[in-house]
Amino acid sequence: MLKKCTAISTILAAMILTVSATATTITDLYGDKDGFGTGIQDGEFFWPWEVATEADDEGFTDRWVFGTQSWSHVYDLSGLTNITSASLTVFSGGQGLGLFVASQVYIDGSYVGDLTDGEIRFANYAHEDVFDLSAYTNLLNGSNTLEIRTFYQFDAWVLDYSEISITGTLDPQNPNNPNAPVPEPATMTLLGLGLVGLVMRKRGIRA
């Protein structure tokens, strides 16, 4: 009987953990994913005048800028108890200049990586670069400054969007996450009683 009770306790504990902790992904988008306003895709060549700035474009997205630029990502991490993975996606065009040094990406002053060269023989190309932020989870606190540092102050380029994606464990019982479902004690009690009854029934049949 003791072994059966121990088994029941183990099953109940596993069920509680399954119900109370679920994986979720939080994303924050800067820009609008419209291909510089004209639907330009990753790897495509485009002319400078094809970039179409709209009234609702965020910050300096979908417009030509010069040199180093920075912007902010603000998002809500309440209820997230553990970050398991994170990434940064940057879609830009015209970055770099031939075989010279590539433009660099920074998050809160920490170097993340280089952007794909978007200027080849003075022709502009669009590129989507994805960076793994798993080594920078300590910086993901709900507000981050992103920065693209160009090697040349007059390097002209355009940003369509950047997106931070964070995957982690969402605990419904966390007081900072009031909208998540919380398992009711009565429900868990009924589940436990059901399991006990099932075990006792099997024991009676065998007897």
Side-chain angles (χ1 to χ4, degrees), residues 146-180:
L146 271 294
E147 183 180 29
I148 290 180
R149 299 181 185 178
T150 60
F151 74 98
Y152 181 52
Q153 63 178 331
F154 297 112
D155 182 19
W157 58 281
V158 58
L159 174 69
D160 184 41
Y161 73 88
S162 70
E163 183 175 49
I164 285 181
S165 179
I166 303 170
T167 300
T169 303
L170 187 65
D171 186 357
Q173 297 182 11
N174 192 311
N176 293 325
N177 186 29
N179 296 324

Coordinates of all heavy atoms in Angstrom, one line a residue, residues 146-180:
L146 N 19.1 48.7 -28.8 CA 19.8 48.0 -29.9 C 20.5 49.1 -30.7 O 20.1 50.2 -30.8 CB 18.8 47.4 -30.8 CG 18.4 45.9 -30.5 CD1 19.6 45.0 -30.8 CD2 17.8 45.7 -29.1
E147 N 21.7 48.7 -31.2 CA 22.5 49.7 -31.9 C 23.2 49.0 -33.1 O 23.7 47.9 -33.0 CB 23.6 50.3 -31.0 CG 24.4 51.3 -31.6 CD 25.4 51.9 -30.7 OE1 25.9 51.2 -29.8 OE2 25.8 53.1 -30.8
I148 N 23.2 49.7 -34.2 CA 23.9 49.2 -35.4 C 25.0 50.2 -35.6 O 24.8 51.4 -35.8 CB 23.1 49.1 -36.7 CG1 22.1 47.9 -36.5 CG2 23.9 48.9 -37.9 CD1 21.2 47.7 -37.7
R149 N 26.3 49.7 -35.5 CA 27.4 50.6 -35.7 C 28.0 50.4 -37.0 O 28.5 49.3 -37.3 CB 28.5 50.3 -34.6 CG 28.0 50.6 -33.2 CD 29.0 50.3 -32.1 NE 28.5 50.4 -30.8 CZ 29.3 50.2 -29.7 NH1 30.5 49.8 -29.8 NH2 28.7 50.3 -28.5
T150 N 28.0 51.4 -37.9 CA 28.6 51.3 -39.2 C 30.1 51.6 -39.1 O 30.6 52.3 -38.3 CB 27.9 52.2 -40.2 OG1 28.1 53.6 -39.7 CG2 26.4 51.9 -40.3
F151 N 30.9 51.1 -40.1 CA 32.3 51.3 -40.1 C 32.6 52.7 -40.6 O 33.7 53.2 -40.5 CB 33.0 50.2 -41.0 CG 32.8 50.5 -42.4 CD1 33.7 51.1 -43.2 CD2 31.6 50.0 -43.0 CE1 33.5 51.3 -44.6 CE2 31.4 50.2 -44.4 CZ 32.3 50.9 -45.2
Y152 N 31.6 53.3 -41.2 CA 31.8 54.6 -41.9 C 30.6 55.5 -41.6 O 29.5 55.1 -41.7 CB 31.9 54.4 -43.4 CG 32.2 55.6 -44.3 CD1 33.2 56.5 -44.0 CD2 31.4 55.8 -45.4 CE1 33.5 57.6 -44.8 CE2 31.6 56.9 -46.2 CZ 32.7 57.8 -45.9 OH 32.9 58.9 -46.7
Q153 N 30.9 56.7 -41.1 CA 29.8 57.6 -40.6 C 28.9 58.0 -41.7 O 27.7 58.4 -41.5 CB 30.4 58.8 -40.0 CG 31.2 59.7 -40.9 CD 31.8 61.0 -40.2 OE1 31.1 61.5 -39.3 NE2 32.9 61.4 -40.6
F154 N 29.3 57.9 -43.0 CA 28.4 58.3 -44.1 C 27.8 57.1 -44.8 O 27.3 57.3 -45.9 CB 29.1 59.2 -45.1 CG 29.6 60.5 -44.5 CD1 30.9 60.8 -44.3 CD2 28.6 61.5 -44.0 CE1 31.3 62.0 -43.7 CE2 29.0 62.7 -43.5 CZ 30.4 62.9 -43.3
D155 N 27.9 55.9 -44.2 CA 27.3 54.8 -44.8 C 25.8 54.9 -44.8 O 25.2 55.0 -43.7 CB 27.8 53.5 -44.1 CG 27.2 52.2 -44.7 OD1 26.8 52.3 -45.9 OD2 27.2 51.2 -44.0
A156 N 25.2 54.9 -45.9 CA 23.7 55.0 -46.0 C 23.1 53.6 -46.0 O 23.5 52.7 -46.7 CB 23.3 55.8 -47.2
W157 N 22.0 53.4 -45.1 CA 21.4 52.2 -45.0 C 19.9 52.4 -44.6 O 19.5 53.5 -44.2 CB 22.1 51.2 -44.1 CG 22.3 51.7 -42.7 CD1 23.2 52.7 -42.3 CD2 21.5 51.4 -41.5 NE1 23.1 52.9 -40.9 CE2 22.0 52.1 -40.4 CE3 20.5 50.5 -41.3 CZ2 21.5 52.0 -39.2 CZ3 19.9 50.4 -40.0 CH2 20.5 51.1 -39.0
V158 N 19.2 51.3 -44.6 CA 17.8 51.4 -44.2 C 17.4 50.2 -43.4 O 17.8 49.0 -43.6 CB 16.9 51.5 -45.5 CG1 17.1 50.3 -46.4 CG2 15.4 51.6 -45.1
L159 N 16.6 50.4 -42.3 CA 16.1 49.3 -41.4 C 14.6 49.1 -41.7 O 13.8 50.1 -41.6 CB 16.3 49.7 -40.0 CG 15.8 48.7 -38.9 CD1 16.5 47.4 -38.9 CD2 15.8 49.4 -37.5
D160 N 14.2 47.9 -42.0 CA 12.8 47.6 -42.1 C 12.2 47.2 -40.7 O 11.2 47.7 -40.4 CB 12.6 46.4 -43.1 CG 11.1 46.1 -43.3 OD1 10.3 47.1 -43.4 OD2 10.7 44.9 -43.4
Y161 N 12.9 46.3 -40.0 CA 12.4 46.0 -38.7 C 13.5 45.2 -37.9 O 14.4 44.7 -38.5 CB 11.1 45.1 -38.7 CG 11.4 43.7 -39.2 CD1 11.7 42.7 -38.3 CD2 11.3 43.3 -40.5 CE1 11.9 41.4 -38.7 CE2 11.5 42.0 -40.9 CZ 11.8 41.1 -40.0 OH 12.0 39.8 -40.4
S162 N 13.3 45.2 -36.6 CA 14.0 44.3 -35.7 C 13.0 43.7 -34.8 O 12.0 44.3 -34.4 CB 15.1 45.1 -35.0 OG 14.6 45.9 -34.0
E163 N 13.3 42.4 -34.4 CA 12.4 41.7 -33.5 C 13.1 40.9 -32.5 O 14.0 40.1 -32.9 CB 11.4 40.8 -34.4 CG 10.4 40.1 -33.5 CD 9.4 39.3 -34.4 OE1 9.9 38.6 -35.3 OE2 8.2 39.5 -34.2
I164 N 12.8 41.1 -31.2 CA 13.3 40.3 -30.2 C 12.3 39.2 -29.8 O 11.1 39.5 -29.6 CB 13.6 41.1 -28.9 CG1 14.9 42.0 -29.2 CG2 13.8 40.3 -27.7 CD1 15.3 42.8 -28.0
S165 N 12.7 38.0 -29.7 CA 11.9 36.8 -29.4 C 12.5 36.1 -28.2 O 13.6 35.7 -28.2 CB 11.7 35.9 -30.6 OG 10.9 34.8 -30.3
I166 N 11.7 35.9 -27.2 CA 12.2 35.3 -25.9 C 11.2 34.2 -25.5 O 10.0 34.4 -25.4 CB 12.2 36.4 -24.8 CG1 13.1 37.6 -25.2 CG2 12.7 35.7 -23.5 CD1 13.0 38.7 -24.2
T167 N 11.8 33.0 -25.4 CA 11.0 31.8 -24.9 C 11.4 31.4 -23.5 O 12.6 31.4 -23.2 CB 11.2 30.6 -25.9 OG1 10.8 31.0 -27.2 CG2 10.5 29.4 -25.5
G168 N 10.4 31.2 -22.7 CA 10.7 30.8 -21.3 C 9.6 30.1 -20.7 O 8.6 29.7 -21.3
T169 N 9.7 29.9 -19.4 CA 8.6 29.2 -18.6 C 7.7 30.2 -18.0 O 8.1 31.1 -17.3 CB 9.3 28.3 -17.5 OG1 10.2 27.4 -18.1 CG2 8.2 27.6 -16.7
L170 N 6.4 30.0 -18.2 CA 5.4 30.9 -17.7 C 4.7 30.2 -16.5 O 4.1 29.1 -16.7 CB 4.4 31.3 -18.8 CG 3.4 32.3 -18.4 CD1 4.0 33.7 -18.1 CD2 2.3 32.5 -19.5
D171 N 4.8 30.7 -15.3 CA 4.2 30.1 -14.2 C 2.8 30.8 -13.9 O 2.8 31.9 -13.5 CB 5.1 30.3 -13.0 CG 4.6 29.5 -11.7 OD1 3.5 28.9 -11.8 OD2 5.3 29.6 -10.7
P172 N 1.7 30.1 -14.0 CA 0.4 30.6 -13.8 C 0.2 31.1 -12.4 O -0.6 32.0 -12.1 CB -0.5 29.5 -14.1 CG 0.2 28.6 -15.0 CD 1.6 28.7 -14.5
Q173 N 1.0 30.6 -11.4 CA 0.8 30.9 -10.0 C 1.6 32.2 -9.6 O 1.6 32.7 -8.5 CB 1.2 29.8 -9.1 CG 0.3 28.6 -9.3 CD 0.7 27.4 -8.3 OE1 1.4 27.6 -7.4 NE2 0.1 26.3 -8.6
N174 N 2.4 32.7 -10.6 CA 3.2 33.9 -10.3 C 2.2 35.1 -10.2 O 1.4 35.4 -11.0 CB 4.1 34.1 -11.5 CG 5.2 35.2 -11.2 OD1 4.8 36.3 -10.7 ND2 6.4 34.9 -11.4
P175 N 2.3 35.8 -9.1 CA 1.4 37.0 -8.8 C 1.6 38.1 -9.9 O 0.7 38.9 -10.0 CB 1.9 37.5 -7.5 CG 3.2 37.0 -7.3 CD 3.3 35.6 -8.0
N176 N 2.7 38.1 -10.6 CA 2.9 39.1 -11.7 C 2.2 38.7 -13.0 O 2.3 39.4 -13.9 CB 4.4 39.3 -11.9 CG 5.1 39.9 -10.7 OD1 4.6 40.7 -10.0 ND2 6.4 39.4 -10.5
N177 N 1.6 37.5 -13.0 CA 0.9 37.1 -14.2 C -0.6 36.8 -13.9 O -1.0 35.6 -13.9 CB 1.6 35.9 -14.8 CG 1.0 35.5 -16.1 OD1 0.5 36.3 -16.8 ND2 1.0 34.2 -16.4
P178 N -1.4 37.8 -13.5 CA -2.8 37.6 -13.1 C -3.7 37.0 -14.1 O -4.8 36.5 -13.8 CB -3.2 39.0 -12.7 CG -2.4 39.9 -13.5 CD -1.1 39.2 -13.7
N179 N -3.3 37.1 -15.4 CA -4.2 36.6 -16.5 C -4.1 35.2 -16.8 O -4.9 34.6 -17.6 CB -4.0 37.5 -17.7 CG -4.4 38.9 -17.5 OD1 -5.3 39.2 -16.8 ND2 -3.6 39.8 -18.1
A180 N -3.1 34.5 -16.3 CA -2.8 33.1 -16.6 C -3.8 32.2 -15.7 O -4.1 32.6 -14.6 CB -1.4 32.8 -16.3

